[in-house]
Amino acid sequence: MRHAALAASILASLALAAPIAQAQDAAAKLAQDAIIVDTHIDAPGILMDTWADLGVEAKDREFDYPRSRAGGLDVAFMSIYTSPKQDADGSAWHVANQMIDGVEALVHRHPGKFAILTSPRDVSRLLEGGRVLLPLGMENGAPLGDHLANVKFFFDRGVRYITLAHSANNRLADSSYALEKTWNGLSPFGRDVVREMNRVGIMVDVSHLGDASAMEAIKLSRVPVIASHSAFRHFTPDFERNISDAVAKAVAAKGGVIQVPFGTAFIDPASAADTQAYFRAIDAFDRGNAALKAQGQPPKDRAAFGKDWDAAHPARASTLAQVLDQIDYGVKLLGIDHVGIGSDFDGVDGELPPELKTVADFPHLVAGLQARGYKDADIRKILGGNLLRAWTAIEAGAGK
């Protein structure tokens, strides 16, 4: 009897394993066949700190060529990120150009593996041979400085979206992280920049913006706008960095797309609260240091503050289910045509769901969407079709 029970148990396990294996195979096949577009990968910033050849396996990175091919990633927007500090010290323009040089060097080193992408019309042609395409997205408008001509300058260098602000108010717009807003919308120069971005064909990105700045940018733009990596504030009510329903609906009404990130800090409510608290604390710390400097006293150690903060706020966990919940919510709120993905790989210190640790893991996302009942045609839209549609419309509106 024991042998019969064991045999029955083995047969039951095999019967269960077969559908699971079939589901995994179906997800992997779709991931390879669909055009996957990830609008936010922070590889260039890490290349500035520590060089790695991303054309071969780079074990300490989340993006490289072998993993991209394994996961089916086709179009990987490289984030040209500059910080508020670099904005303040005047180095943002130089840093942005160095990052672009780094991406170009990667392409020149591996022309059979990578290509710079500057237009959605070139996707099919450039993908031939198994390349991964690298369009550029500028995270923070700081490199523009005070010169409107720099919009065209960076367009000519390949930049195809600009996130107007990052973690501090700047000369264009207000940051979602700033407790006090400078403009309560766009600055006069920010409005000129949006118009010029429309003219040359650069996507306006409202991720990171305060609500009033985002709404004015959306209203002013003649073409669709995007949120390159924004989760939904519905899950994190006090976290302005995540997009509100009102702003998301405005993006969709304009024909744009909300690109959902994978980082724990965005999709997990407790982690989002920690992130919000950090920016408030570091703001107070910097204000205190400014007061000490004004009094002729030595400032406190910012690095030590960060170390103490990390010790008191250990990393939290997140899950694939939370990413899927974000996508579900966006689809229900906006419709299937206005949701995509902007992972933030290499930009969140590895704080990601265990099922989505690198660009090789896109089949897990596909399998999750299939398990939740999404049709393959709709999954293709989420994976990249929606972003390419919006980008095509933005490009078509250029020059008008």
Side-chain angles (χ1 to χ4, degrees):
M1 291 293 293
R2 288 198 303 271
H3 293 300
L6 178 60
S9 176
I10 292 172
L11 288 172
S13 297
L14 290 173
L16 180 63
I20 292 174
Q22 290 172 1
Q24 292 172 340
D25 289 345
K29 182 178 180 181
L30 181 56
Q32 291 295 329
D33 188 60
I35 302 296
I36 299 181
V37 180
D38 186 335
T39 47
H40 200 84
I41 294 178
D42 275 293
I46 300 181
L47 288 177
M48 291 284 289
D49 297 331
T50 306
W51 172 255
D53 186 352
L54 300 182
V56 297
E57 184 181 5
K59 293 183 179 180
D60 62 334
R61 310 299 167 91
E62 292 156 9
F63 167 83
D64 61 28
Y65 181 80
R67 289 189 182 95
S68 296
R69 289 293 81 215
L73 177 61
D74 299 289
V75 180
F77 275 79
M78 296 287 98
S79 176
I80 308 302
Y81 164 70
T82 54
S83 69
K85 181 178 182 296
Q86 290 162 337
D87 191 7
D89 66 21
S91 65
W93 188 87
H94 300 282
V95 171
N97 279 287
Q98 288 173 331
M99 285 189 183
I100 296 170
D101 288 346
V103 176
E104 290 178 344
L106 177 64
V107 172
H108 286 305
R109 180 179 289 233
H110 298 287
K113 295 180 178 180
F114 298 110
I116 300 289
L117 178 67
T118 59
S119 171
R121 294 173 298 174
D122 296 331
V123 170
S124 296
R125 176 178 61 83
L126 292 177
L127 281 177
E128 291 181 5
R131 293 186 187 90
V132 176
L133 309 186
L134 307 179
L136 307 177
M138 179 181 285
E139 187 178 22
N140 193 1
L144 301 179
D146 296 308
H147 307 293
L148 191 62
N150 276 336
V151 175
K152 181 61 163 58
F153 171 85
F154 282 110
F155 175 86
D156 291 341
R157 291 228 61 189
V159 169
R160 287 302 180 268
Y161 76 68
I162 297 176
T163 317
L164 299 181
H166 188 253
S167 56
N169 303 336
N170 64 13
R171 57 179 57 80
L172 306 178
D174 294 327
S175 168
S176 59
Y177 287 125
L179 296 181
E180 298 179 7
K181 309 303 186 188
T182 301
W183 308 107
N184 292 307
L186 300 177
S187 70
F189 182 59
R191 289 190 283 273
D192 288 342
V193 165
V194 168
R195 294 186 187 100
E196 181 67 358
M197 289 169 67
N198 282 179
R199 188 188 72 80
V200 302
I202 293 179
M203 291 180 272
V204 175
D205 177 21
V206 299
S207 287
H208 278 287
L209 298 191
D211 287 352
S213 293
M215 289 298 269
E216 185 171 0
I218 296 164
K219 182 179 180 180
L220 180 61
S221 179
R222 294 183 293 98
V223 294
V225 305
I226 68 166
S228 66
H229 58 307
S230 287
F232 289 94
R233 200 181 306 167
H234 167 81
F235 298 93
T236 57
D238 296 323
F239 190 41
E240 191 178 5
R241 167 64 182 87
N242 280 344
I243 198 164
S244 72
D245 285 5
V247 174
K249 287 179 179 178
V251 170
K254 204 86 177 189
V257 189
I258 310 301
Q259 303 287 104
V260 173
F262 304 161
T264 301
F266 305 118
I267 63 173
D268 178 69
S271 296
D274 285 348
T275 303
Q276 183 76 11
Y278 169 78
F279 277 98
R280 289 175 177 168
I282 197 67
D283 179 73
F285 180 87
D286 287 342
R287 289 172 184 267
N289 265 353
L292 289 174
K293 184 177 180 181
Q295 297 166 11
Q297 300 181 39
K300 296 180 179 180
D301 188 344
R302 205 174 195 268
F305 171 87
K307 185 177 180 180
D308 291 344
W309 179 272
D310 289 343
H313 301 82
R316 302 177 187 269
S318 60
T319 66
L320 170 62
Q322 288 175 299
V323 176
L324 297 171
D325 289 345
Q326 292 277 344
I327 293 173
D328 281 348
Y329 184 80
V331 170
K332 291 174 183 176
L333 180 70
L334 309 173
I336 193 65
D337 295 322
H338 302 287
V339 180
I341 49 177
S343 66
D344 217 347
F345 280 133
D346 283 320
V348 290
D349 296 323
E351 294 182 17
L352 294 152
E355 308 94 333
L356 293 172
K357 282 296 188 182
T358 77
V359 294
D361 293 330
F362 283 112
H364 296 161
L365 178 69
V366 174
L369 292 169
Q370 289 174 329
R372 292 200 176 191
Y374 285 86
K375 298 177 181 178
D376 284 1
D378 288 340
I379 294 174
R380 290 175 184 270
K381 289 184 177 184
I382 293 168
L383 292 178
N386 290 337
L387 189 282
L388 292 176
R389 170 193 52 76
W391 187 6
T392 298
I394 292 163
E395 184 178 81
K400 299 179 182 178

